Amino acid sequence: VGSNRNSAEQMGQSLKQQKYDMRIVTSLTELDTTVQGVERISLAVIDLAGFDQTVWKHCERLQSARIPFLVIADQRSPSVQQESMRYGARGVFTKPVGVRELADYIRATLGR
């Protein structure tokens, strides 16, 4: 999930090369629709850039749906770290995020 479609697609393509199936969403409404859909979601990666504080409400929905998620933030911030963990994030990354680092973390999180 990222508000910048270009960045989200670039990250998605990089993760596809690591053998992950990706669904890119660029709005919180689209995220909610995807979560409520019939597709099984193993993990969500949320880039906080461009979203306001309502993003946490959507993170709560992910947690309620038992969908693990990771957060990507523009800068290292104790408050973002705390909020991310408070709403159930499995990890927080600070930009720039290396694709291999992210893929390794995803692999460890999913256990495969």
Side-chain angles (χ1 to χ4, degrees):
V1 179
S3 64
N4 181 316
R5 179 163 290 282
N6 226 9
S7 295
E9 286 178 352
Q10 286 176 352
M11 180 64 71
Q13 287 301 322
S14 297
L15 289 173
K16 280 182 181 180
Q17 291 175 353
Q18 299 290 320
K19 308 293 187 225
Y20 290 105
D21 289 330
M22 303 293 299
R23 169 101 191 246
I24 297 166
V25 299
T26 56
S27 74
L28 297 175
T29 302
E30 192 178 0
L31 172 63
D32 288 344
T33 301
T34 302
V35 168
Q36 294 170 357
V38 295
E39 294 178 53
R40 182 175 176 279
I41 301 170
S42 299
L43 178 77
V45 179
I46 301 174
D47 183 346
L48 296 179
F51 294 124
D52 62 18
Q53 293 296 312
T54 61
V55 72
W56 302 120
K57 188 170 36 170
H58 300 273
C59 290
E60 279 184 320
R61 290 184 188 135
L62 287 170
Q63 188 175 26
S64 293
R66 299 183 189 268
I67 299 170
F69 65 94
L70 307 174
V71 169
I72 299 174
D74 284 335
Q75 60 186 354
R76 185 170 301 282
S77 161
S79 63
V80 168
Q81 180 87 21
Q82 289 169 348
E83 289 296 289
S84 298
M85 295 304 163
R86 177 175 165 216
Y87 288 99
R90 296 277 179 98
V92 180
F93 289 84
T94 305
K95 290 181 183 178
V97 178
V99 174
R100 180 156 310 274
E101 173 190 14
L102 184 58
D104 288 348
Y105 196 85
I106 290 170
R107 203 170 355 272
T109 300
L110 297 177
R112 50 182 153 133

